Amino acid sequence: MSAAANLPAWVLFLTALLVLVSASLTLIGTIGLLRLKTFYERTHAPTLGTTLGIGLMLFASMIYFSALQSRPVLHELLIAVFMTVTTPITLVLLVRAALYRDRYAGSDKVPPTSPPKSTLLKKQAKIDSD
Amino acid sequence: MSGWLHHLIIVPVLLPLTVGAGMLLLEEPRRRLKASLSLFSTLVLISVAIALLQLAQGNGAEIGVYLLGDWPAPFGIVLVLDRLSALMLLLSSVLALASLLFSLARWHRAGPHFHPLFQFLLVGINGAFLTGDLFNLFVFFEVMLAASYGLVLHGSGTARVKAGLHYIAVNLAASLLFLIGVALIYGVTGTLNMADLANRLPAVATEDRALLQAGAAILGIAFLVKAGMWPLCFWLPTTYAAASAPAAAMFSIMSKVGIYVILRLWLLLFGADAGSVAGFGGSWLFYGGLLTVGFGTIGALASQDMSRLAGYNVLVSSGTLLAVLGVTDMAITAGALFYLLSSTLAISAFFLLIELAERGRRAGADILAVTLEAFGETEEEPLHEEEEAGIAIPATMAILGLSFVFCALLLAGLPPLSGFIGKFILLAAVLDSSGTATVSLDAWLLLAAVILSGLAAVIAMTRAGIRTFWAPLGRSVPRVRLIEITPIGLLLLLCVLLTVQAGPVMYYLQGTAEALHAPQRYIEGVLSAPRAGQTAQGGGA
Amino acid sequence: MKRWLPFPRLAALILIAWLLLNQSLAPSHILLGALLALLSTQLLVRLQPPRGHASRFWTALVLLGRVLLDIIRSNIAVAGIILRRRPERNRTAGFVHIGLTSRHPYVLAALACIITATPGTIWVDYESASGVLIIHVLDLVDEEAWIQTITQRYESLLREIFE
Amino acid sequence: MMLGFFTAALTTAQVLLALAMACSSVRLFIGPRAQDRVVALDAFYVNAMLLLLTFGIRTGSNLYFEVALVIALLGFVGTVALAKFLMRGEVIE
Amino acid sequence: MELIVALGIGVLVASGVWLILRPRTYQVIIGLSLLSYAVNLLIFGMGRLRVNAAPVLEAGAAVDASQYTDPLPQALVLTAIVISFATTALFLVVLLASRGLTGTDHVDGREPGT
Amino acid sequence: MSDSMLLILLVALPFVGSLIAALLPTNARNAEAWLAGLIALAGLLITASFFPAVAEGGVLRFRAEWLPTFGLDFSLRLDGFAWLFSALVTGIGVLVVLYARYYMSPQDPVPRFFSFLLAFMGSMLGIVLSGNLIQLVFFWELTSLFSFLLIGYWHHRADARDGARMALTITATGGLALLAGVLVLGHIVGSYELDQVLASADLIRAHPLYLPILVLILLGAFTKSAQFPFHFWLPHAMAAPTPVSAYLHSATMVKAGVFLLARLWPVLAGSDAWFWLVGGAGLSTLLIGSYVAIFQHDLKGLLAYSTISHLGLITLLLGLNSPLAAVAAIFHILNHATFKASLFMAAGIIDHESGTRDIRRLSGLYRLMPITATLAMVAAAAMAGVPLLNGFLSKEMFFTEALTATAPLQSLEAILPYAATLYGMFSVAYSLRFIHGAFFGPPPVGLPRTPHEPPHWMRFPVELLVLACLVVGILPAITVGPFLDAAALGVLGAAKPAYNLAVWHGFNLPLLMSVIALIGGVLLYLILQNYLLSGVEGTPFVRRLAGKRLFERSLVVLSWRIARPLETLLGTRRLQPQLRLVVVVALLAGLAAVGGWQLAAGPPQFSGLDPALTLVWAVGIACAIGAAYQAKYHRLAALILMGGAGLVTCITFIWFSAPDLALTQLLVEIVTTVLILLGLRWLPKRIPEDEPMVQPVTLARRIGDFAIAMFAGGGVALLAYAVMTRPLPDTISRYFTERAYSEGGGTNVVNVILVDFRGFDTLGEITVLGVVALTVYALLRRFRPAPESIAIPEQQRVQNAYDDARPDRRLGDTVAEYLLVPAVLMRLLFPMMLVMALYLFLRGHNLPGGGFVAGLTMAVTFIVQYMANGTRWVESRLRLHPVRWIGLGLVFALLTGIGAWLLAHPFLTSHTRYLELPWLGSIPLASALFFDLGVFSLVVGATALILIALAHQSLRSVLVARPVSPPSKED
Ligand code: NA
Ligand code: NA
């Protein structure tokens, strides 16, 4: 922590602020994970952390370390890229699995197996024409 | 010991490791080549062990120290060659040769990667005998255990898997205890090198003694599980009985690794020179050993099949050794080592023999019966009884019977073989240790334990032998190959040699015991071992 | 060229990643990074990723801007929903079926990234035969609006980039 | 002054993130269904990663960054395996 | 923090021990894993707990060993982690084989009372 | 040849002969007999040649070092007494061999027989010639062994097996007791040498350990010589071929016990304890043996009990504490050997010629084999103690001793003469029965064979022995006097009393007793005639005294009633108790080791409490407990919770300055999750059965386990806390930190330790990993999954059915759609992950990372592709050869280590060079890096092998599940 003492105040302030917001957002996300009622709703919540939560934290880290090491520190970008690519993988797989499990369990809260093609196309045409 | 000769110390570890690793680069079906490699490695190991034995003996009390990575002790890992480790190396390589030869008849085909696993087992055993570092000992224990897991399960089948599960679970628990013990010892003393540890122990502050002793005790439990002390030994008979014969024959030295470590560490760390901690836990060893003998005896009497009987004999042997090690006495240590040699050879031979003897009883080996390929591709060459068991050598039953008699005599400690000598030496030493012209209660107890366990062995072995060899029902003469009989003969011959050459052997063992009871030389030898970098030039970073 | 550098853009990205990882622009790192980029993309050929080319850098940038904006907006929105005294009040969550025009794997993949990265929407199912995508929306006020957003705001740009 | 705020902010952020982990772990506990637990585990990983990043900032050390990086790149593997197990009954077909 | 870590180790050990004493193979494997966490932490703790003293030197600078935490326990833990990973894998496969061959997931290969 | 050489030859020749005999062909009856006969004859001649040396009390000795450090030499010692026995063993040996040549049938595998017989002869000679007590025990047990093998010679017969086993068990047990006794005796004397022991008589008798020694040695002697209550094995030993009975079980082996008693008589006898124990056993054996003998229907059984009784006589004489009685004992040993051996041979001839030994079936054989009958009658008369035969002489000496003995108890002195007379009557009765039953009466009917005289050479030994009975009986002083004198001198030395070997001592009380015995015996036989003819089995009054049944019963009880339950009680075959014991014993050991010592030391050193980490640990603790709670029925939940605990561990590592550990822990965590999930596919679900009520036993066990778990957790926590709050001792680590860069060439000290300072550990560690991978692979090759899990998972069936049912879908569409987007992304991640692995590898020496972490990353890289695309798909494009990676890794690490040899350094010595390249700068080339490369390769291979081998099971299940699926096929 002694290293931080020599940094300009605005760096410290900005870093602290970003970190705080990021942590708060993440916490809110997990609170949502607790509070929301259905699985599908709950799945949305943690994405607060995986998107802006991480983004702000990385931003804070970049600013802080760039100032600390007096050179641009950008490798945090990699984390952002990795998260962007890997989060959809998990969520897509997991939510689809949940859908299957709900359908199999006979839940009426989820869309049934895909409706006949014709109705869908009709609906689509309507939207397109708007 | 200098120059190239110096590297000989590490060969017992490196050679099987290299050969095992090399075999992994070969295609699976090249069994003949692998077998030859394995055999080659084992034969070289024997010669190396003999050379090392002579080195250890020739150097008098000097010990050979190998600084790995050329880092000085106590910082780097050291291998230490002394009379004891040289002896154990020889024993393990001899058993390895016997087991390997035996396996060549059929067992090495019963599953993939037999030969590499076998070599890796040797790596673990030899490493454990050589290392002078507590954590490195753990690593070699694990190498040995890992390979033994593989060998226990070799051939598959319900019995093996069931026993293997227990074996693995218990040994994993023991390994965790090992780690806890090492950690505590390091946390208090700050070193892992055994010699350094022995050096630091007497100076351990009083307020740290509790922790140190707790660490040592927990570590000890880990070794006692391996050695098979009651009540930590129940896995042993089942596992050894379930393992294939060559594996079981090798395992008989694995419990001796536990004994070896206790002997080595206990005398080094808690020997007479250890100051306030001297003799820590000795009476526990003694009474625990006696109880183990008792349990082994009971088990031997109660066992109906020979494999379990053999397993219980392992316990009797372990218990006897533990009990006598609990009495710190040089002559006893020497006697214990003789007993160790004799009983290990005998039990190994017995494990090999059982397979052959029972082959005739349950016609059609059961190895593959359970693995019927209802599931999975048939990658293994099926073992056809006719072609595999080969020519029946003449007088098979007579030879098997004779071998059985030898084993029985050895295990019961009856003349004329080394079992008797071993018991005599042990008991004579125990009596002598209790002072002239008196016999202490402990000595009586030990005497009784040894005599009664021998009696039980007579009863149990006779029962088993009569049932197997004198059975009235027309049992088919087992088809046995020469290569299966030879190793048994080899081991038994060694027991005969031990009997005839008891004098010279005891001379060596007495030197060994003396060195063990005067660990200062070991400590100084390890801690003052010179680095190569100091003599040769160049090198280092 | 194609043979040696089957995925030039990906290789470039990997080189950049390597340099970022090592936080260095030393010649040795550039050389090593280039080598690794080449080798790793060579190996990737074996895995036969779907063919595709990404062009229109500016379009991509526009899309990126849109998405970032959406992410920030929806982060706030979702946080608001969660922090309500009763998150369920005045809100219905639900599934939306969307017929997609593009079958291009990269379009779909990118779309999945966007939908997932935007709090409030998740990718639920995609039926390749009909091209129907199901998403789940946390605060579903207007189904049509969501269809619009996905197809017009994102898909069309993605098609421009990848097709 | 600012240093004090900075320190306090980081400590607070860590506590918040630890609380976030606690929330996820509650979901991990109560489920009710397997997918809920998997989502919670995923969130758990992300929280841990953020915690490590704050730790890096707090100590001014770059040594812990790679752990966060590895979580970002590989943390999903476990979740994927779990999800696939739920959907298909086996992880690798 | 020593108290907290010691407490954590204790709970891991207690949970692990409880599990390895259970009759189902899966419980045992989870228990062994928890125990190995605990043991790894214990070994690690033998080097004492120090914040921000990772044993990574600065190239070329003079070394003051007291600036860094004890690296040896860390190296030991690394070895222990690898070994426990290996044995967990093995135990898993053995328990699967046992389940297949015996028809039960009881550690003794048969249901109690049969 | 020197005496020493001859002595060695005397003992060694039979053993050499035994080896040769074993190797001769099965049908070489004559060759075997010649070999054995010549060896016995040579032994006899050698023995004879020694007589002058020992006649006047001289002793021949030979010693060779054997185990000098334990005072154990190979020591031979021949005095008059040993000479007598040696002559007996070899002399009767010659005759028995000759007899056996005709007795054994051509079908019998004679090599075994003669081999054992010769080995026995050698062992017996070993006993009598031993100059050292341990060596004596050595040969003693050998005689038990060969006796066992000879009794079991016809091992297809149950009685032979049982008899052999009983004989061995009893005699070997006695032998073990003897060993213990001799050990203690040697211990108090300070030597096992017979000479020294015999010279320490006063010391021994006065020693507090005298009684234990005596009891132990007597146990040996009594079992061997079939003394009551250990006598019962001998009649069952009669299952042996008759030559064996004649030789071992009458003339020689059973005499070993009394030999020992006589041998140690000078040092052990003379006490009341000796009188009571030895005399008591002798007296009871004497009476019981002779009484029971009367009622035997088997000729050999009768002779066996008679032998028991005569052995009792000898023992009694030795127990009387009188030198004269001891001389009588020695004399009777000799006499009994002659008449009993001849009687056994005669019984054998009868058996051989008529096919039965049952007195009830035999009758009137005198007419068919008059010579044999005559011989048998003379020998039996000697047995009965009829004057002018040798048996009479020693019996008269016995009667004299019975009259003059001084017992510690007055009443006993009075009883002894009556007991002796009674014994005389009994022996007359059973001798009469032997002769009358077999040779007189009407001609035999219904015998298996028609009896006639045996071949002459078969009868010859009997003739010779009977002649000896006569000659000795008539002219004792001339014939046997010098030998007996020498033997008595050997035993008693200077204490040898004067005695008179005359046939006629005038009309005295002993003679009267003899007359009474003779008449009484005849009367008794006549009285019992009807009872005996009725053919009732067993002996009146002592029917319950069936030793065999008792013995077998006690063995059964010992093995199945005692050992079995004890084994179950003291041991277990179940895992849970075993693990419980390991934990409890470790706990107790730790507790005992801590003992009274304090755990606390000085003021504890704390690092401050951090709220965040405390919270994190609250979560970790909850996860651990949750995992423990859920593992039974909710495996997935337990797995996930365990992952949570692992992640908390990982954070702790980071917090306290261990980034390498955190990385490793994290990756292992990920791989373990995948691994266990792969395994869960094959573990059928546990359905929570609703237990109506937890059994009290179960509940108690759970409470116990809970307590154990709490104590274990508390104990470890306490220890951890105690160590962590202590100041760090001066550890060896300082060395590593200081030299990691300057000598190890790396800044990441942990990594330098792993690949350099303690690279040997790492080599071992990767070996473990490799070995485990091979084992897993081997096990999975033979894997047979649970039947419930063989079919493809339910999910896949449902989804396939759905695809099948819809006309617009093809089989597999669901999974294709499911993976469509993720697979694309995962494939694109592939190169990045590879690069990441290499990055972690290359930086390892200086920064957190290294071969192991990199290897795991690499393995995960591949596994991700397997998950995204399926096994077949990946393997048709990208085939990993994991076993080779393992092999290569090991070889690489090894070669790096061995490379140091070329520079004359020990294994694994590291070398670092900097390669200066233009433009690129200096590239470090550290050998440690190559070592780490080996680690990397092995870890990739091992991890991939384990995971892929598990994944492959799914392919196999598809292969098999399809054709096998209809369950009706099973019948
Ligand atoms: Na989203
Ligand atoms: Na008759």
Side-chain angles (χ1 to χ4, degrees), chain F residues 358-364 433 436-438 440 533:
Chain F
D358 192 328
I359 303 179
R360 289 165 296 186
R361 296 178 67 188
L362 294 168
S363 175
R433 174 150 153 79
H436 184 251
F440 297 94
L533 282 175

Side-chain angles (χ1 to χ4, degrees), chain B residues 66 133 136 207-208 312 463, chain F residues 559 567 593 726 758 761 907:
Chain B
Y66 194 84
D133 184 284
N136 194 239
E207 67 260 29
D208 289 344
Y312 278 112
R463 180 171 62 209
Chain F
S559 297
E567 188 205 13
R726 272 175 161 72
R758 297 183 67 90
D761 274 350
F907 184 71

Side-chain angles (χ1 to χ4, degrees), chain E residues 1 22 48 50 70 99, chain F residues 607 657 705 726 733 788:
Chain E
M1 282 318 293
R22 296 301 92 218
R48 312 302 189 263
R50 288 184 64 181
D70 190 342
R99 176 66 179 85
Chain F
S607 56
S657 319
D705 286 349
R726 272 175 161 72
S733 296
E788 303 96 306

